[in-house]
Amino acid sequence: MMNGFHPEDISDEELDRQRDLYGPFTDVLRDLVDAGIRTEVGEAEIHGVQVELEAIVARLRERQIPGAYGVRYTSSRRSRAWGNSVVGVRNAIAPPLRVHWHPDATGEVWADFELGAAYEGPPGLVHGGICSLLLDQLLGESAGCAQRAGMTATLTLTYRAPTPLGPLRGEAWVDRHEDRKTWCRGHLIGPEGVTVEAEGLFIQPRTPRGSDTPAPPD
Amino acid sequence: MMNGFHPEDISDEELDRQRDLYGPFTDVLRDLVDAGIRTEVGEAEIHGVQVELEAIVARLRERQIPGAYGVRYTSSRRSRAWGNSVVGVRNAIAPPLRVHWHPDATGEVWADFELGAAYEGPPGLVHGGICSLLLDQLLGESAGCAQRAGMTATLTLTYRAPTPLGPLRGEAWVDRHEDRKTWCRGHLIGPEGVTVEAEGLFIQPRTPRGSDTPAPPD
């Protein structure tokens, strides 16, 4: 089992330097994932590229962390979940969503993004499970924005209409809360309106975690 | 908006040839996504690899399909959803799950798989939304296995325990059905037991689609 927790004590300047380095690098990996699905070049070229990529993987693995990325903090407690499957700056699986938090910690969050070939389920449509993946993250960040960050306890998705690949918007907000429980709601919006609605229950840990900061992750 | 439907009329032999070609190629892309998250090589090396990858993307894009992959069929109606975010042989975002269907079309399906750094949410744990992504696919295939394939209408997840990164198993089955509606249930199992439970309602289209074949996708 991998342990993803790697505390660090880097400065805000170092964090910015790392984002400038890894952001564009991971964007190329995303581009490569898309090209890998859609390419129709010949068999010899696929074989050739495969050999080159194997060599590149070996070079990148010459020095690497033993497990997953985890959530890390700077000395000023800015957090970064760069391995996260939805928002991770260094994770090519993540679109990544850049989630905006309402500055008054109301719990309102939103993100505009575009999904390509890698997020397909039915032909030309976003995979229903990808919709639930993105909404789980958005609802969780909504609880975080309201300073009530916790783990997902339940999540219910209602699919109103097919979600087309292309430009989309996600929104979430806090519906109500009671003790350590926070109920959040949200939806995805396509060019023709709401496609998927979500409601989730998030439960705060008894001992507040470091990630319960009122600022969005970097 | 992209249209992902690309009908083809290839033979079963050509399908097998393509799987042998693209399967190992996409596995290297998955390895690269993982290495991209975990690498700690120096800044110059990251920049160097980035330039090389940009050139490789350009080569792969020299000939490519205009949109997403879609679901394609051979002349004998074997289907392949190779762009699918969960099971897609050519999609590096997909682990990919290899879902087994009960041969008697009972609706029972299962998959054993391993999730690494790219599927992380909380430190060392599978992202709750990744659990819902995988369960949406498993429950949908359960309906398909029972010859009742349809689109997800609702999906409810109950998170019983954290899901650790590492080896996991997913199972799904048909709970009940009525007219075009099929209710499926399923769960993820980690080394210490069930972590997430799911129930979903799937609705069959009025006009049966080509994908309503009683065989698992290739």
Side-chain angles (χ1 to χ4, degrees):
Chain A
M1 226 48 35
M2 286 187 272
N3 180 342
F5 190 65
H6 300 277
E8 284 185 336
D9 193 26
I10 64 171
S11 66
D12 287 3
E13 291 70 30
E14 169 62 12
L15 181 145
D16 292 337
R17 185 195 70 80
Q18 286 192 19
R19 198 205 335 259
D20 290 346
L21 175 64
Y22 294 117
F25 172 69
T26 312
D27 281 342
V28 179
L29 293 180
R30 293 185 180 100
D31 214 12
L32 190 57
V33 169
D34 179 88
I37 296 167
R38 298 168 56 200
T39 189
E40 292 195 303
V41 298
E43 185 162 342
E45 179 76 331
I46 293 288
H47 281 304
V49 166
Q50 182 177 330
V51 170
E52 290 178 50
L53 292 178
E54 282 166 349
I56 286 174
V57 169
R59 279 160 60 194
L60 292 174
R61 290 206 188 285
E62 266 174 31
R63 226 175 71 215
Q64 66 176 9
I65 57 171
Y69 190 87
V71 179
R72 308 184 190 191
Y73 301 89
T74 67
S75 40
S76 68
R77 304 300 291 164
R78 280 166 70 189
S79 77
R80 60 195 197 286
W82 286 358
N84 182 290
S85 308
V86 178
V87 299
V89 168
R90 288 190 59 176
N91 188 340
I93 282 185
L97 259 58
R98 185 184 159 88
V99 184
H100 300 275
W101 289 23
H102 192 290
D104 298 335
T106 60
E108 291 165 272
V109 301
W110 63 95
D112 293 292
F113 52 94
E114 187 150 349
L115 298 184
Y119 303 96
E120 189 180 43
L125 303 176
V126 180
H127 194 297
I130 291 289
C131 297
S132 69
L133 165 64
L134 304 183
L135 283 162
D136 177 68
Q137 180 72 30
L138 285 165
L139 269 61
E141 292 215 22
S142 167
C145 169
Q147 305 193 40
R148 303 184 57 83
M151 297 276 278
T152 318
T154 63
L155 182 69
T156 300
L157 293 309
T158 306
Y159 295 85
R160 298 286 181 203
T163 304
L165 292 173
L168 297 165
R169 183 184 176 87
E171 300 175 340
W173 58 93
V174 171
D175 188 58
R176 63 193 191 281
H177 58 82
E178 190 185 309
D179 303 326
R180 294 188 295 123
K181 295 181 180 175
T182 308
W183 286 267
C184 299
R185 304 183 70 95
H187 51 221
L188 295 185
I189 305 174
E192 294 178 26
V194 169
T195 59
V196 188
E197 293 172 349
E199 176 168 11
L201 166 60
F202 296 82
I203 302 183
Q204 291 179 280
R206 285 181 197 280
T207 315
R209 297 178 306 175
S211 58
D212 293 352
T213 47
D218 274 286
Chain B
M1 225 50 34
M2 284 187 271
N3 181 342
F5 191 63
H6 300 277
E8 284 184 337
D9 194 27
I10 65 171
S11 66
D12 287 4
E13 290 69 29
E14 168 62 12
L15 182 146
D16 293 336
R17 187 195 68 82
Q18 287 192 18
R19 198 210 331 264
D20 290 344
L21 175 64
Y22 293 119
F25 172 69
T26 312
D27 282 341
V28 178
L29 294 181
R30 292 183 181 102
D31 214 13
L32 190 57
V33 169
D34 180 89
I37 295 167
R38 298 169 56 198
T39 190
E40 292 195 302
V41 298
E43 186 162 341
E45 180 76 332
I46 293 287
H47 281 303
V49 166
Q50 183 177 329
V51 170
E52 289 177 50
L53 291 178
E54 281 166 350
I56 287 173
V57 169
R59 280 160 60 194
L60 292 174
R61 290 206 188 285
E62 264 174 32
R63 226 174 73 215
Q64 65 177 8
I65 57 171
Y69 191 87
V71 178
R72 307 184 191 191
Y73 301 89
T74 67
S75 39
S76 69
R77 303 301 292 164
R78 282 167 67 188
S79 77
R80 59 194 197 285
W82 285 0
N84 183 290
S85 307
V86 178
V87 298
V89 168
R90 289 190 59 176
N91 188 341
I93 282 186
L97 259 58
R98 186 183 159 88
V99 184
H100 301 273
W101 289 24
H102 192 290
D104 297 336
T106 60
E108 291 166 272
V109 302
W110 64 94
D112 293 293
F113 53 93
E114 188 151 348
L115 298 184
Y119 303 96
E120 190 181 42
L125 302 176
V126 179
H127 195 298
I130 290 289
C131 297
S132 69
L133 165 64
L134 304 183
L135 283 162
D136 176 67
Q137 180 73 29
L138 284 164
L139 269 62
E141 293 215 23
S142 167
C145 169
Q147 306 191 39
R148 303 185 56 83
M151 297 276 279
T152 318
T154 64
L155 182 70
T156 300
L157 292 310
T158 306
Y159 295 84
R160 298 284 180 204
T163 305
L165 292 173
L168 297 165
R169 183 184 175 88
E171 299 175 341
W173 58 93
V174 170
D175 188 57
R176 62 192 191 281
H177 57 82
E178 191 186 308
D179 302 327
R180 294 189 295 123
K181 296 181 179 176
T182 308
W183 285 267
C184 300
R185 303 183 71 94
H187 51 220
L188 295 186
I189 304 174
E192 295 179 24
V194 169
T195 61
V196 187
E197 293 172 349
E199 176 167 11
L201 166 60
F202 296 82
I203 303 184
Q204 291 179 279
R206 284 182 198 280
T207 315
R209 299 178 305 178
S211 57
D212 293 354
T213 47
D218 274 287

